[in-house]
Amino acid sequence: MSLPTLALANADVEKNIANSKNWAMQAGDMFNQRYSKLNQIHKGNVGKMQVAWTFSTGVLRGHEGSPLVIDGTMYLHSPFPNKVFAIDLETQKILWKHEPKQDPAVIPQMCCDTVNRGLAYAEGKVFLQQADSNLVALDAKSGKVLWTVKNGDPKLGAVNTNAPHVFKDKVITGISGGEWGVRGFLAAYDINTGKQVWKGYSVGPDSEMLMDPVKSTTWADGKVTPVGANSSLKTWKDDQWKIGGGTTWGWYSYDKATNAVYYGTGNPSTWNPSQRPGDNKWSMSIWSRDVDTGKVNWVYQMTPFDEWDFDGINEMILADIPVKGKPTKALVHFDRNGFGYTLDRVTGALLVAEKYDPKVNWATHVDMKTGRPQVVSKYSTAQNGPDVNTKGICPAALGSKDQQPASFDPNTGLFYVPTNHVCMDYEPFKVEYTAGQPYVGATLSMYPTPGSHGGMGNYITWDAGTGKIVQSKAEKFSVWSGSLNTAGGLSCYGTLEGYLKCVDAKDINKELFKFKTPSGIIGNVFTYEHKGKQYMGVFSGIGGWAGIGMAAGLEKDTDGLGAVGGYKELNQYTELGGSLTIFALPN
C-alpha cells in the first residue's frame, strides 16, 4: 500500500494524549502502547505508595478497562448497566452521572460476564458502547445524551463489550456474539451526528467486507499477495458464513502515517469444527483498514479452521522497533493461540511468529512461508471428531492471553505481557443454530498447565524483534489485568486475587510494590498527574471469563465455557465488588 501524504488524526485527541498528565485513551495513545512518560513515581519510591482515594461503582460484576482523565476530570464506567460518572479530581465530587435504561434481557445474551471495556473521549464528547449495542455520545460537561445509534440486535446475541475508539472524525466500534453465531463487523460513525460512515464485515462477499480482490492483500507463498476474488466465500461450506462469527470485541490501534485502523477478528461459529469445513476466512485474523473508507489494506489469518476457540481479537500494538536487526514499522500481537506475531504494519508481511508460552502444544510452529500453524494431530479436535474428548490441549480456549492488554516500554524495547498458563480438555458436539440462542457446540474443562510451576499465570517480557521470552514471573492465577509501563522504570499489573503489583521494568522478578485491593483485578492499570502530583489507579471487581463463576454464581466445573472448574480456588482469595483505587506517594 502507498502511504497517504496528509493523514491527520483527530486534533483534539492528539492534543489530549500528548499531555502526559492526562490518560485520554484506553491505552494512553493510538498505538496501544500503554506507556506513560510520568516519572514522579519511580523504582526508588514506588514502595512508599499509599491509597489516595477510592470510589465504588455500585456494580458487582467484572470491571474491565480503565477510566479516562482529561484536564482535571475523570470519566469512569461500570459493567452492565454501564453507568458513566464524571468526577472532579480536586474534590472527588461526582459532577454528573449517566445510567442508561437497558433491558436486562441482554444479560443472558453475554457469553462471559457483563463487562464493559471503557469509554472514549473527543471534542467535548464522551462515547459509550452499551451492552445492548446502542452507541451513545454524551456531552462531557453535563452528561446529556447528544445522539444514540443502534449498532446491533441483542435479541440475536449481537451485544457489545468493547470500548469505542475515536480516530480522526469517526468513532469506531465492533460487535460481540461469536458464541451466538453473530457475523462480525467493524463500523465507523461520525462523531458529531452518529451517522454510519462505513461498515466492513469479517466474513462473506467482497462487497460487504469492503475487500478489493486486487488491492487488498494477504501473506501467502512467502510474500504479500492479492487476496483474490471472494477469498472468504470460498472457504466456507454453503451459507455457513452467514452465522460464521468473526466478531470484533477487542482493542483497536491507529497509525496516522498509514491512515489505518488495526484490529483482530474472533472465532468462527460454531466451536464444533466439523460443522464448518474450510479455512473459515477471515475469522481469527489481523486486519488493516483505511479509516476513511473502511477498505481492507491487508489481512492475515492466524488460525485457519479454528478447532479450539482461539479468538484473534487481542490488541495490536504498534511500535517502531528493530526486527531481526532491521528498523521496522511493526505491529505486535499476542494471540490467544499462544504465538506472538510481529508483522510489518505497512505491508502486512509476516516477520516473526513464535510461542510466548513454552507449554503451547497444539501446533509445533508457524510455517513462515505459508503463515499457517503446523497442527499436532493429537490435539486436533477436528481430526479426533465430534463427541471425542481431546485432552491436554495447551493453551485453553481463553488463550495464552485473552483481552488483557500488554504494554510496550520504549526504554527497554520490550513488551510486557500478562498471560494465562492454562490447558483444557475439549469435546465438540453437533449443535443446531437457533437465532438468539447460544451456538457453541463444545464442552470444555480448564486447569493449570501440567508439569509446570503449578500456577495459572505468568507475567513475561518479550522481544518482538526475535520472538523470544526475556523474563517470566510466575503467578498463581492468570494475569487478567492490563499492564502499564512508565518512565519511572516501572511495570505494573493487577492479579485475580486483587493485588496491584509494580515490578522493575528491567527485572520483572523484582517486586517493588504490592497492595491488596477490595476485589480481584481484571481492569487495566493507568496513571495521570493532577496539580503536580502523579497518581496511579486500577479498577477491581472480579469477573470476566476467568471470574465468571463468582460473578454469575456458577458452580459446575464445565460452566462458564469451561472456566468455572479451573478458577474455583478464586473464592478463597477474593469476593465480588466494583471499585476504583487510586494511589499516590505520601505528601
Side-chain angles (χ1 to χ4, degrees):
M1 61 181 281
S2 59
L3 297 180
T5 54
L6 280 175
L8 294 169
N10 182 289
D12 186 56
V13 177
E14 282 197 285
K15 174 177 68 78
N16 289 331
I17 62 176
N19 180 357
S20 55
K21 296 176 183 176
N22 291 329
W23 191 258
M25 295 186 74
Q26 284 296 319
D29 62 24
M30 297 189 189
F31 273 27
N32 270 346
Q33 292 190 350
R34 303 192 52 74
Y35 172 80
S36 169
K37 293 178 181 174
L38 298 182
N39 60 7
Q40 188 180 92
I41 302 171
H42 54 69
K43 288 196 296 186
N45 61 20
V46 67
K48 296 177 182 175
M49 266 202 323
Q50 298 176 348
V51 174
W53 56 281
T54 61
F55 182 82
S56 170
T57 65
V59 181
L60 293 180
R61 300 290 286 255
H63 283 58
E64 292 184 347
S66 71
L68 302 178
V69 174
I70 294 105
D71 298 337
T73 302
M74 177 180 289
Y75 303 93
L76 63 96
H77 67 285
S78 83
F80 183 92
N82 306 137
K83 296 179 186 177
V84 181
F85 301 89
I87 295 177
D88 181 349
L89 288 181
E90 185 64 24
T91 61
Q92 288 97 54
K93 181 184 176 186
I94 298 172
L95 299 172
W96 55 259
K97 171 185 166 184
H98 171 74
E99 184 166 353
K101 295 189 185 340
Q102 298 187 70
D103 186 345
V106 72
I107 294 174
Q109 298 290 73
M110 305 178 80
C111 87
C112 312
D113 202 4
T114 60
V115 294
N116 181 286
R117 300 192 183 90
L119 307 165
Y121 179 99
E123 299 178 14
K125 302 177 192 67
V126 174
F127 300 96
L128 166 68
Q129 179 60 78
Q130 293 178 190
D132 65 3
S133 284
N134 279 315
L135 177 65
V136 180
L138 305 172
D139 182 280
K141 287 198 181 304
S142 66
K144 179 186 172 189
V145 175
L146 300 175
W147 55 257
T148 301
V149 64
K150 199 78 178 169
N151 187 54
D153 184 353
K155 289 179 181 171
L156 301 178
V159 296
N160 267 110
T161 55
N162 65 282
H165 292 68
V166 173
F167 302 132
K168 299 184 80 171
D169 56 352
K170 301 168 187 69
V171 55
I172 296 178
T173 191
I175 199 75
S176 304
E179 282 61 56
W180 268 248
V182 170
R183 181 184 170 211
F185 61 83
L186 202 71
Y189 299 90
D190 183 289
I191 63 170
N192 292 314
T193 64
K195 182 183 177 185
Q196 189 178 97
V197 182
W198 54 258
K199 182 176 185 179
Y201 282 95
S202 309
V203 299
D206 285 345
S207 59
E208 295 178 16
M209 298 176 69
L210 309 182
M211 187 85 87
D212 186 313
V214 177
K215 294 180 180 175
S216 303
T217 60
T218 191
W219 182 255
D221 297 326
K223 61 186 178 187
V224 174
T225 189
V227 291
N230 290 319
S231 56
S232 177
L233 289 180
K234 290 174 181 172
T235 64
W236 292 87
K237 183 181 179 183
D238 303 328
D239 286 345
Q240 178 77 20
W241 59 271
K242 292 181 178 176
I243 50 172
T247 51
T248 49
W249 48 276
W251 313 93
Y252 320 141
S253 50
Y254 172 71
D255 182 356
K256 65 179 181 181
T258 58
N259 197 35
V261 54
Y262 301 93
Y263 69 101
T265 48
N267 60 283
S269 304
T270 142
W271 286 17
N272 176 8
S274 300
Q275 290 182 236
R276 44 172 175 75
D279 276 355
N280 308 142
K281 290 176 177 176
W282 295 94
S283 64
M284 303 299 207
S285 299
I286 300 171
W287 296 71
S288 165
R289 284 186 189 268
D290 184 279
V291 162
D292 292 329
T293 64
K295 288 184 177 175
V296 177
N297 299 315
W298 56 261
V299 60
Y300 165 73
Q301 190 176 41
M302 289 85 71
T303 314
F305 186 47
D306 168 64
E307 308 169 42
W308 311 269
D309 183 42
F310 290 152
D311 245 37
I313 63 87
N314 293 354
E315 79 285 0
M316 311 299 159
I317 305 175
L318 312 183
D320 298 339
I321 56 171
V323 178
K324 297 178 179 175
K326 183 181 173 186
T328 305
K329 286 183 173 296
L331 174 153
V332 177
H333 170 71
F334 300 94
D335 198 61
R336 285 249 289 260
N337 71 14
F339 286 88
Y341 294 85
T342 305
L343 287 86
D344 182 319
R345 68 175 180 269
V346 179
T347 65
L350 178 65
L351 304 176
V352 174
E354 298 289 345
K355 295 175 182 177
Y356 63 96
D357 183 340
K359 296 293 185 180
V360 170
N361 64 13
W362 67 278
T364 56
H365 65 285
V366 172
D367 183 314
M368 294 303 289
K369 188 171 182 183
T370 64
R372 299 179 72 94
Q374 302 303 290
V375 175
V376 176
S377 297
K378 178 181 175 184
Y379 301 113
S380 167
T381 69
Q383 292 181 41
N384 294 339
D387 305 318
V388 174
N389 193 7
T390 299
K391 296 190 173 184
I393 305 166
C394 306
L398 41 66
S400 292
K401 188 177 89 64
D402 202 89
Q403 59 75 37
Q404 62 270 44
S407 50
F408 171 69
D409 192 328
N411 302 306
T412 62
L414 298 174
F415 292 77
Y416 295 72
V417 194
T419 74
N420 312 315
H421 195 53
V422 185
C423 302
M424 68 175 171
D425 302 339
Y426 189 113
E427 183 175 341
F429 58 84
K430 186 174 181 181
V431 60
E432 297 295 333
Y433 174 77
T434 303
Q437 296 296 316
Y439 184 52
V440 177
T443 302
L444 277 64
S445 298
M446 299 185 192
Y447 40 82
T449 298
S452 187
H453 60 73
M456 301 175 77
N458 288 307
Y459 191 62
I460 69 166
T461 52
W462 176 259
D463 182 341
T466 60
K468 295 189 186 312
I469 298 170
V470 179
Q471 278 194 301
S472 185
K473 179 177 184 292
E475 288 287 351
K476 179 170 180 58
F477 296 105
S478 298
V479 186
W480 209 270
S481 151
S483 57
L484 168 77
N485 277 52
T486 74
L490 301 171
S491 187
C492 304
Y493 62 96
T495 73
L496 285 176
E497 302 103 303
Y499 289 106
L500 172 68
K501 294 185 176 183
C502 290
V503 299
D504 186 334
K506 292 184 177 176
D507 181 359
I508 61 170
N509 284 299
K510 197 181 284 183
E511 211 166 85
L512 303 172
F513 177 79
K514 179 179 176 181
F515 182 91
K516 186 86 181 280
T517 63
S519 182
I521 297 176
I522 61 171
N524 303 333
V525 190
F526 70 107
T527 190
Y528 65 93
E529 182 181 314
H530 179 66
K531 287 199 166 178
K533 195 175 183 69
Q534 184 184 355
Y535 296 84
M536 188 176 293
V538 70
F539 274 131
S540 58
I542 193 70
W545 194 356
I548 186 65
M550 293 188 69
L554 307 176
E555 294 181 348
K556 189 178 170 187
D557 282 0
T558 54
D559 281 350
L561 301 172
V564 172
Y567 294 88
K568 59 188 171 189
E569 268 192 83
L570 261 179
N571 62 13
Q572 298 174 27
Y573 292 85
T574 191
E575 219 354 313
L576 299 179
S579 61
L580 175 71
T581 307
I582 299 293
F583 300 85
L585 295 171
N587 290 323

